[in-house]
Coordinates of all heavy atoms in Angstrom, one line a residue:
M9 N 3.4 11.4 -4.4 CA 3.0 11.2 -3.0 C 3.7 12.2 -2.2 O 4.7 12.6 -2.4 CB 3.4 9.7 -2.6 CG 2.5 8.7 -3.2 SD 3.0 7.0 -2.5 CE 3.4 6.2 -4.1
E10 N 3.0 12.4 -1.1 CA 3.5 13.4 -0.1 C 3.4 12.8 1.3 O 2.7 11.9 1.5 CB 2.8 14.7 -0.2 CG 2.9 15.5 -1.4 CD 2.2 16.8 -1.5 OE1 1.3 17.0 -0.5 OE2 2.4 17.6 -2.3
A11 N 4.3 13.3 2.2 CA 4.3 13.0 3.6 C 4.5 14.2 4.3 O 5.4 15.1 3.9 CB 5.3 11.9 3.9
T12 N 3.9 14.5 5.4 CA 4.1 15.7 6.2 C 4.9 15.4 7.5 O 4.7 14.3 8.1 CB 2.7 16.2 6.7 OG1 1.9 16.4 5.5 CG2 2.8 17.5 7.4
V13 N 5.9 16.2 7.8 CA 6.7 16.1 8.9 C 5.9 16.5 10.1 O 5.3 17.7 10.2 CB 8.0 16.9 8.9 CG1 8.8 16.9 10.1 CG2 8.8 16.6 7.6
A14 N 5.7 15.6 11.1 CA 4.9 15.9 12.3 C 5.8 16.7 13.3 O 7.0 17.0 13.1 CB 4.5 14.6 12.9
E15 N 5.2 17.1 14.4 CA 5.8 17.9 15.4 C 7.1 17.4 16.0 O 8.0 18.2 16.2 CB 4.8 18.2 16.6 CG 5.3 19.1 17.7 CD 4.3 19.4 18.8 OE1 3.0 19.1 18.5 OE2 4.6 19.7 19.9
R16 N 7.2 16.1 16.1 CA 8.4 15.5 16.6 C 9.4 15.0 15.5 O 10.3 14.3 15.8 CB 8.1 14.3 17.5 CG 7.3 14.8 18.9 CD 7.0 13.7 19.8 NE 7.5 12.4 19.5 CZ 7.2 11.3 20.1 NH1 6.4 11.3 21.1 NH2 7.7 10.1 19.7
G17 N 9.2 15.5 14.4 CA 10.0 15.2 13.2 C 9.7 13.8 12.6 O 10.5 13.4 11.7
Q18 N 8.6 13.2 12.9 CA 8.3 12.0 12.3 C 7.5 12.2 11.0 O 6.8 13.1 10.9 CB 7.5 11.1 13.3 CG 8.2 10.8 14.6 CD 7.3 10.2 15.7 OE1 6.2 10.6 15.8 NE2 7.8 9.2 16.3
I19 N 7.6 11.2 10.1 CA 6.8 11.1 8.9 C 6.1 9.7 8.9 O 6.6 8.8 9.4 CB 7.5 11.4 7.6 CG1 8.6 10.3 7.3 CG2 8.2 12.8 7.6 CD1 9.1 10.4 6.0
T20 N 5.0 9.8 8.2 CA 4.3 8.5 7.9 C 4.5 8.2 6.4 O 4.1 9.0 5.6 CB 2.8 8.4 8.3 OG1 2.6 8.8 9.7 CG2 2.1 7.2 7.9
L21 N 5.1 7.0 6.1 CA 5.2 6.7 4.7 C 3.9 6.2 4.1 O 3.2 5.4 4.8 CB 6.2 5.6 4.5 CG 7.7 5.9 4.9 CD1 8.6 4.6 4.9 CD2 8.3 6.9 4.1
P22 N 3.5 6.6 2.9 CA 2.3 6.2 2.4 C 2.1 4.7 2.3 O 3.1 4.0 2.2 CB 2.3 6.8 0.9 CG 3.2 8.0 1.0 CD 4.3 7.5 2.1
K23 N 1.0 4.2 2.5 CA 0.7 2.7 2.6 C 1.2 2.1 1.3 O 1.8 1.0 1.3 CB -0.8 2.4 2.8 CG -1.1 1.0 2.9 CD -2.5 0.7 3.4 CE -2.8 -0.7 3.6 NZ -1.9 -1.8 3.4
A24 N 1.0 2.7 0.2 CA 1.5 2.1 -1.1 C 3.0 1.8 -1.1 O 3.5 0.8 -1.5 CB 1.0 2.9 -2.3
V25 N 3.7 2.8 -0.5 CA 5.2 2.6 -0.4 C 5.5 1.5 0.5 O 6.4 0.6 0.2 CB 5.8 3.9 0.1 CG1 7.3 3.8 0.3 CG2 5.6 5.0 -1.0
R26 N 4.9 1.5 1.7 CA 5.1 0.4 2.7 C 4.9 -1.0 2.2 O 5.6 -1.9 2.3 CB 4.3 0.6 4.0 CG 4.7 1.9 4.7 CD 4.1 2.0 6.1 NE 2.7 1.7 6.2 CZ 1.7 2.5 6.1 NH1 1.9 3.8 6.0 NH2 0.5 2.1 6.2
D27 N 3.7 -1.1 1.4 CA 3.3 -2.4 0.8 C 4.3 -2.8 -0.3 O 4.7 -4.0 -0.3 CB 1.9 -2.3 0.3 CG 0.9 -2.2 1.3 OD1 1.2 -2.4 2.6 OD2 -0.3 -1.9 1.1
A28 N 4.7 -1.8 -1.1 CA 5.6 -2.2 -2.3 C 7.0 -2.7 -1.8 O 7.5 -3.5 -2.4 CB 5.7 -1.0 -3.2
L29 N 7.4 -2.1 -0.7 CA 8.7 -2.5 -0.2 C 8.7 -3.5 1.0 O 9.7 -4.0 1.5 CB 9.5 -1.3 0.4 CG 9.8 -0.2 -0.7 CD1 10.5 1.0 0.0 CD2 10.8 -0.8 -1.8
G30 N 7.5 -4.0 1.4 CA 7.3 -4.9 2.4 C 7.8 -4.4 3.8 O 8.3 -5.1 4.6
L31 N 7.5 -3.1 4.0 CA 7.9 -2.5 5.3 C 6.9 -2.8 6.4 O 5.7 -2.5 6.1 CB 8.1 -1.0 5.1 CG 9.1 -0.5 4.1 CD1 9.1 1.0 4.0 CD2 10.5 -1.0 4.4
T32 N 7.3 -3.3 7.5 CA 6.5 -3.6 8.5 C 7.0 -3.0 9.9 O 8.1 -2.5 9.8 CB 6.3 -5.2 8.8 OG1 7.6 -5.7 9.0 CG2 5.6 -5.9 7.6
K33 N 6.2 -3.1 10.9 CA 6.7 -2.5 12.2 C 8.0 -3.1 12.5 O 8.2 -4.3 12.5 CB 5.7 -2.8 13.3 CG 6.1 -2.3 14.6 CD 5.0 -2.7 15.7 CE 5.5 -2.2 17.0 NZ 4.5 -2.5 18.1
G34 N 9.1 -2.3 12.8 CA 10.4 -2.8 13.3 C 11.4 -2.8 12.1 O 12.6 -3.1 12.3
T35 N 10.9 -2.7 10.8 CA 11.8 -2.7 9.7 C 12.8 -1.7 9.8 O 12.5 -0.5 10.2 CB 11.0 -2.5 8.4 OG1 10.2 -3.6 8.2 CG2 12.0 -2.5 7.2
I36 N 14.1 -1.9 9.7 CA 15.1 -0.9 9.8 C 15.5 -0.2 8.4 O 15.6 -1.0 7.4 CB 16.4 -1.5 10.3 CG1 16.2 -2.0 11.8 CG2 17.6 -0.5 10.3 CD1 17.3 -2.8 12.3
L37 N 15.4 1.1 8.4 CA 15.6 1.8 7.1 C 17.0 2.6 7.4 O 17.2 3.2 8.4 CB 14.6 2.8 6.8 CG 13.2 2.2 6.5 CD1 12.2 3.3 6.4 CD2 13.2 1.3 5.4
K38 N 17.8 2.6 6.3 CA 19.0 3.4 6.3 C 18.6 4.8 5.8 O 18.0 4.9 4.8 CB 20.1 2.8 5.5 CG 20.6 1.4 6.1 CD 21.8 1.0 5.3 CE 22.3 -0.3 6.0 NZ 23.5 -0.8 5.5
V39 N 19.0 5.8 6.4 CA 18.7 7.2 6.0 C 20.1 7.8 5.5 O 21.0 7.9 6.2 CB 18.2 8.0 7.2 CG1 17.9 9.4 6.7 CG2 17.0 7.4 7.8
E40 N 20.0 8.4 4.3 CA 21.2 9.0 3.7 C 20.8 10.3 3.1 O 19.6 10.5 2.7 CB 21.7 8.1 2.5 CG 22.1 6.7 3.0 CD 22.5 5.8 1.8 OE1 22.5 6.3 0.6 OE2 22.7 4.6 2.1
L41 N 21.8 11.3 3.1 CA 21.5 12.5 2.5 C 22.4 12.6 1.2 O 23.5 12.2 1.2 CB 21.9 13.7 3.4 CG 21.2 13.9 4.7 CD1 21.8 15.0 5.5 CD2 19.8 14.3 4.3
E42 N 21.7 13.0 0.1 CA 22.4 13.2 -1.1 C 22.0 14.5 -1.7 O 21.0 14.6 -2.3 CB 22.0 12.1 -2.1 CG 22.8 11.9 -3.4 CD 22.4 10.8 -4.2 OE1 22.9 9.7 -3.8 OE2 21.7 11.0 -5.2
G43 N 22.9 15.5 -1.6 CA 22.6 16.9 -2.0 C 21.4 17.3 -1.1 O 21.4 17.3 0.1
G44 N 20.3 17.7 -1.8 CA 19.1 18.2 -1.1 C 18.1 17.1 -1.0 O 16.9 17.4 -0.7
R45 N 18.5 15.8 -1.1 CA 17.5 14.7 -1.1 C 17.7 13.8 0.2 O 18.9 13.6 0.6 CB 17.7 13.8 -2.3 CG 17.3 14.5 -3.6 CD 17.5 13.6 -4.7 NE 17.1 14.2 -5.9 CZ 16.8 13.5 -7.0 NH1 16.9 12.2 -7.0 NH2 16.5 14.2 -8.1
I46 N 16.7 13.3 0.7 CA 16.7 12.3 1.7 C 16.5 10.9 1.1 O 15.5 10.8 0.4 CB 15.6 12.5 2.8 CG1 15.9 13.9 3.5 CG2 15.7 11.4 3.9 CD1 14.8 14.3 4.4
I47 N 17.4 9.9 1.2 CA 17.2 8.6 0.7 C 17.0 7.6 1.8 O 17.8 7.5 2.8 CB 18.4 8.3 -0.2 CG1 18.6 9.3 -1.3 CG2 18.3 6.9 -0.7 CD1 19.9 9.1 -2.1
L48 N 15.9 6.9 1.7 CA 15.6 5.8 2.6 C 15.9 4.5 1.9 O 15.4 4.2 0.8 CB 14.2 5.9 3.2 CG 13.8 7.1 3.8 CD1 12.3 7.1 4.2 CD2 14.5 7.3 5.1
R49 N 16.6 3.6 2.6 CA 16.9 2.3 2.0 C 16.5 1.2 3.0 O 17.0 1.3 4.2 CB 18.4 2.2 1.6 CG 18.9 3.1 0.6 CD 20.3 2.7 0.2 NE 20.9 3.8 -0.7 CZ 20.7 4.0 -2.0 NH1 19.9 3.2 -2.7 NH2 21.3 5.0 -2.6
K50 N 15.8 0.2 2.5 CA 15.5 -0.9 3.4 C 16.8 -1.7 3.6 O 17.6 -2.0 2.8 CB 14.5 -1.8 2.6 CG 14.0 -2.9 3.4 CD 12.9 -3.7 2.7 CE 12.5 -5.0 3.4 NZ 11.5 -5.7 2.6
N51 N 17.0 -2.0 4.8 CA 18.1 -2.8 5.3 C 17.9 -4.2 5.0 O 17.3 -4.9 5.9 CB 18.5 -2.5 6.7 CG 19.8 -3.1 7.1 OD1 20.4 -3.9 6.4 ND2 20.2 -2.8 8.3
V52 N 18.2 -4.7 3.9 CA 17.9 -6.2 3.5 C 18.6 -7.1 4.4 O 18.1 -8.2 4.8 CB 18.3 -6.4 2.0 CG1 18.0 -7.9 1.7 CG2 17.4 -5.5 1.1
D53 N 19.9 -6.8 4.9 CA 20.6 -7.7 5.7 C 19.9 -8.0 6.9 O 19.9 -9.1 7.4 CB 22.0 -7.1 6.0 CG 23.0 -7.0 4.8 OD1 22.7 -7.7 3.8 OD2 23.9 -6.3 4.8
D54 N 19.2 -6.9 7.5 CA 18.5 -7.1 8.7 C 17.4 -8.1 8.6 O 17.2 -9.0 9.4 CB 18.0 -5.8 9.2 CG 17.2 -5.9 10.5 OD1 17.8 -6.3 11.5 OD2 16.0 -5.6 10.5
A55 N 16.6 -8.1 7.4 CA 15.5 -9.0 7.3 C 16.1 -10.4 7.1 O 15.4 -11.4 7.7 CB 14.8 -8.6 6.0
I56 N 17.2 -10.6 6.5 CA 17.7 -12.0 6.4 C 18.2 -12.5 7.8 O 18.0 -13.6 8.1 CB 18.9 -11.9 5.4 CG1 18.4 -11.6 3.9 CG2 19.7 -13.2 5.4 CD1 19.4 -11.3 2.9
S57 N 18.8 -11.7 8.5 CA 19.3 -12.0 9.8 C 18.2 -12.4 10.7 O 18.3 -13.4 11.5 CB 20.1 -10.9 10.5 OG 21.2 -10.5 9.8
R58 N 17.0 -11.7 10.7 CA 15.9 -12.1 11.6 C 15.3 -13.4 11.1 O 14.7 -14.1 12.0 CB 14.8 -10.9 11.4 CG 15.2 -9.7 12.2 CD 14.0 -8.8 12.4 NE 13.2 -8.6 11.3 CZ 13.3 -7.5 10.5 NH1 14.0 -6.5 10.9 NH2 12.4 -7.5 9.5
A59 N 15.3 -13.7 9.8 CA 14.7 -15.0 9.4 C 15.6 -16.2 9.7 O 15.2 -17.3 9.7 CB 14.4 -14.9 7.9
R60 N 16.9 -16.0 9.8 CA 17.9 -17.0 9.9 C 17.5 -17.9 11.2 O 17.3 -17.4 12.3 CB 19.3 -16.5 10.0 CG 20.3 -17.6 10.0 CD 21.7 -16.9 10.0 NE 22.0 -16.4 8.6 CZ 22.4 -15.2 8.3 NH1 22.7 -14.4 9.3 NH2 22.5 -14.8 7.1
G61 N 17.4 -19.2 10.9 CA 17.2 -20.2 12.1 C 15.8 -20.3 12.4 O 15.5 -21.0 13.4
K62 N 14.8 -19.7 11.7 CA 13.4 -19.8 12.1 C 12.6 -20.9 11.4 O 11.5 -21.1 11.6 CB 12.7 -18.4 11.9 CG 13.3 -17.3 12.8 CD 12.3 -16.2 12.9 CE 13.1 -15.3 13.9 NZ 12.2 -14.3 14.5
F63 N 13.3 -21.5 10.4 CA 12.6 -22.5 9.6 C 13.1 -23.9 10.1 O 14.2 -24.1 10.3 CB 12.8 -22.3 8.2 CG 12.4 -21.0 7.7 CD1 13.2 -19.9 7.6 CD2 11.0 -20.8 7.4 CE1 12.7 -18.7 7.2 CE2 10.5 -19.6 7.0 CZ 11.4 -18.4 6.9
K64 N 12.1 -24.8 10.1 CA 12.5 -26.2 10.6 C 12.7 -27.1 9.4 O 12.2 -26.9 8.3 CB 11.3 -26.8 11.4 CG 11.1 -26.1 12.7 CD 10.0 -26.7 13.5 CE 9.9 -25.9 14.8 NZ 8.7 -26.4 15.6
L65 N 13.5 -28.1 9.5 CA 13.7 -29.1 8.5 C 12.8 -30.3 8.7 O 13.3 -31.4 9.0 CB 15.2 -29.5 8.5 CG 16.2 -28.4 8.2 CD1 17.6 -29.0 8.5 CD2 16.0 -28.0 6.8
D66 N 11.5 -30.1 8.7 CA 10.6 -31.2 8.9 C 10.9 -32.4 8.1 O 10.9 -32.5 6.9 CB 9.1 -30.7 8.7 CG 8.7 -29.7 9.7 OD1 9.2 -29.7 10.7 OD2 7.7 -29.0 9.3
G67 N 11.2 -33.6 8.9 CA 11.4 -34.8 8.2 C 12.9 -35.1 7.8 O 13.1 -36.1 7.2
F68 N 13.7 -34.1 8.0 CA 15.1 -34.2 7.5 C 16.0 -34.2 8.8 O 15.8 -33.3 9.7 CB 15.5 -33.2 6.5 CG 14.7 -33.3 5.2 CD1 13.6 -32.4 5.0 CD2 14.9 -34.2 4.3 CE1 12.9 -32.5 3.9 CE2 14.2 -34.3 3.2 CZ 13.2 -33.4 2.9
A69 N 17.0 -35.0 8.8 CA 18.0 -35.0 9.9 C 19.0 -33.8 9.8 O 19.6 -33.4 10.8 CB 18.8 -36.3 9.9
S70 N 19.3 -33.3 8.6 CA 20.2 -32.2 8.4 C 19.9 -31.4 7.2 O 19.0 -31.8 6.3 CB 21.6 -32.8 8.2 OG 21.7 -33.5 7.0
V71 N 20.5 -30.3 7.0 CA 20.4 -29.4 5.9 C 20.8 -30.2 4.6 O 20.2 -30.1 3.6 CB 21.2 -28.1 6.1 CG1 21.1 -27.3 4.8 CG2 20.6 -27.3 7.2
D72 N 21.9 -30.9 4.8 CA 22.4 -31.6 3.6 C 21.4 -32.6 3.1 O 21.2 -32.9 1.9 CB 23.7 -32.4 3.9 CG 24.9 -31.4 4.0 OD1 24.8 -30.3 3.5 OD2 26.0 -31.8 4.5
E73 N 20.8 -33.4 4.0 CA 19.7 -34.3 3.7 C 18.6 -33.6 2.9 O 18.1 -34.2 1.9 CB 19.2 -35.1 4.9 CG 18.3 -36.2 4.6 CD 17.8 -36.9 5.9 OE1 18.6 -37.1 6.8 OE2 16.6 -37.2 5.9
A74 N 18.1 -32.5 3.4 CA 17.1 -31.8 2.8 C 17.5 -31.3 1.3 O 16.7 -31.4 0.4 CB 16.7 -30.6 3.6
M75 N 18.8 -30.9 1.2 CA 19.2 -30.4 -0.1 C 19.3 -31.6 -1.1 O 19.0 -31.4 -2.3 CB 20.6 -29.8 0.0 CG 20.5 -28.4 0.7 SD 22.0 -27.5 0.9 CE 22.3 -27.1 -0.8
R76 N 19.7 -32.7 -0.6 CA 19.7 -33.9 -1.5 C 18.3 -34.3 -2.0 O 18.1 -34.7 -3.1 CB 20.4 -35.1 -0.7 CG 21.9 -35.1 -0.6 CD 22.5 -36.3 0.0 NE 23.9 -36.0 0.4 CZ 24.3 -35.7 1.6 NH1 23.4 -35.7 2.6 NH2 25.5 -35.5 1.8
A77 N 17.3 -34.1 -1.1 CA 15.9 -34.4 -1.5 C 15.5 -33.5 -2.5 O 14.7 -33.8 -3.4 CB 15.1 -34.5 -0.2
V78 N 15.8 -32.1 -2.3 CA 15.3 -31.2 -3.2 C 16.2 -31.1 -4.5 O 15.7 -31.0 -5.6 CB 15.3 -29.8 -2.6 CG1 15.0 -28.7 -3.5 CG2 14.4 -29.8 -1.4
R79 N 17.5 -31.1 -4.4 CA 18.4 -30.8 -5.6 C 19.1 -32.1 -6.1 O 19.7 -32.0 -7.2 CB 19.5 -29.9 -5.1 CG 19.1 -28.5 -4.8 CD 20.2 -27.6 -4.4 NE 19.9 -26.3 -4.1 CZ 20.7 -25.4 -3.6 NH1 22.0 -25.7 -3.4 NH2 20.2 -24.2 -3.4
G80 N 19.0 -33.1 -5.4 CA 19.7 -34.3 -5.7 C 21.1 -34.5 -5.2 O 21.7 -35.6 -5.4
R81 N 21.7 -33.4 -4.7 CA 23.0 -33.4 -4.1 C 23.1 -32.3 -3.1 O 22.3 -31.4 -3.1 CB 24.1 -33.4 -5.2 CG 24.1 -32.2 -6.0 CD 25.1 -32.1 -7.0 NE 26.5 -32.2 -6.6 CZ 27.2 -31.1 -6.2 NH1 26.7 -29.9 -6.4 NH2 28.4 -31.2 -5.7
A82 N 24.1 -32.4 -2.2 CA 24.4 -31.3 -1.3 C 25.8 -30.8 -1.6 O 26.6 -31.5 -2.2 CB 24.2 -31.9 0.2
P83 N 26.1 -29.6 -1.0 CA 27.4 -29.1 -1.2 C 28.4 -30.1 -0.6 O 28.2 -30.7 0.4 CB 27.5 -27.8 -0.4 CG 26.0 -27.3 -0.3 CD 25.3 -28.7 -0.3
G84 N 29.5 -30.4 -1.4 CA 30.5 -31.3 -1.0 C 30.3 -32.7 -1.5 O 31.2 -33.6 -1.4
D85 N 29.1 -33.0 -2.0 CA 28.8 -34.4 -2.6 C 29.6 -34.4 -3.9 O 29.8 -33.5 -4.6 CB 27.4 -34.6 -2.9 CG 26.5 -34.8 -1.6 OD1 27.2 -35.0 -0.6 OD2 25.3 -34.9 -1.7
P86 N 30.2 -35.6 -4.2 CA 30.8 -35.8 -5.5 C 29.8 -35.6 -6.7 O 28.6 -35.9 -6.5 CB 31.2 -37.3 -5.5 CG 31.1 -37.7 -4.1 CD 30.2 -36.8 -3.4
L87 N 30.3 -35.1 -7.8 CA 29.4 -34.7 -8.9 C 28.8 -35.9 -9.6 O 27.8 -35.9 -10.2 CB 30.1 -33.8 -9.9 CG 30.5 -32.5 -9.4 CD1 31.3 -31.7 -10.4 CD2 29.2 -31.7 -9.0
D88 N 29.5 -37.1 -9.5 CA 29.1 -38.3 -10.3 C 28.2 -39.2 -9.4 O 28.1 -40.3 -9.7 CB 30.4 -39.0 -10.7 CG 31.3 -39.5 -9.6 OD1 31.3 -38.8 -8.6 OD2 32.0 -40.5 -9.7
Q89 N 27.6 -38.7 -8.5 CA 26.7 -39.6 -7.6 C 25.4 -39.8 -8.3 O 24.8 -39.0 -8.9 CB 26.4 -38.9 -6.3 CG 27.1 -39.7 -5.2 CD 26.6 -39.1 -3.8 OE1 25.9 -38.1 -3.7 NE2 27.1 -39.8 -2.8

């Protein structure tokens, strides 16, 4: 695959690459130089930070209650329950 550098130094990543990595508008990429190579890395921490706090616990009073329903116990519960 190839990408051409535009007049202002921008490149467009091929759609197959964007789709394979789940890159969408606003995704942060880390840019590194290694010898004569440019390495782009998806900033996974950023994706996790953006998702944090966006999901509701429908029908549960707390995260612990939801975990007990799914796993049978929550962190800190005695093992013999």
Side-chain angles (χ1 to χ4, degrees):
M9 286 185 238
E10 293 182 347
T12 303
V13 178
E15 184 177 337
R16 293 182 4 187
Q18 298 170 321
I19 63 167
T20 299
L21 297 174
K23 184 169 180 5
V25 172
R26 296 190 315 264
D27 290 347
L29 295 176
L31 302 177
T32 57
K33 179 181 178 180
T35 299
I36 296 173
L37 298 176
K38 293 186 178 191
V39 182
E40 300 172 7
L41 293 176
E42 187 175 282
R45 296 179 179 200
I46 300 170
I47 299 172
L48 299 175
R49 296 188 193 276
K50 182 177 177 182
N51 189 350
V52 178
D53 293 340
D54 180 61
I56 293 168
S57 295
R58 287 196 314 256
R60 187 172 287 129
K62 295 201 178 200
F63 299 99
K64 294 181 182 178
L65 298 172
D66 290 337
F68 298 103
S70 68
V71 172
D72 285 345
E73 185 180 318
M75 289 182 73
R76 285 185 192 102
V78 173
R79 296 183 178 171
R81 62 182 298 273
D85 284 353
L87 293 175
D88 58 333
Q89 249 189 356

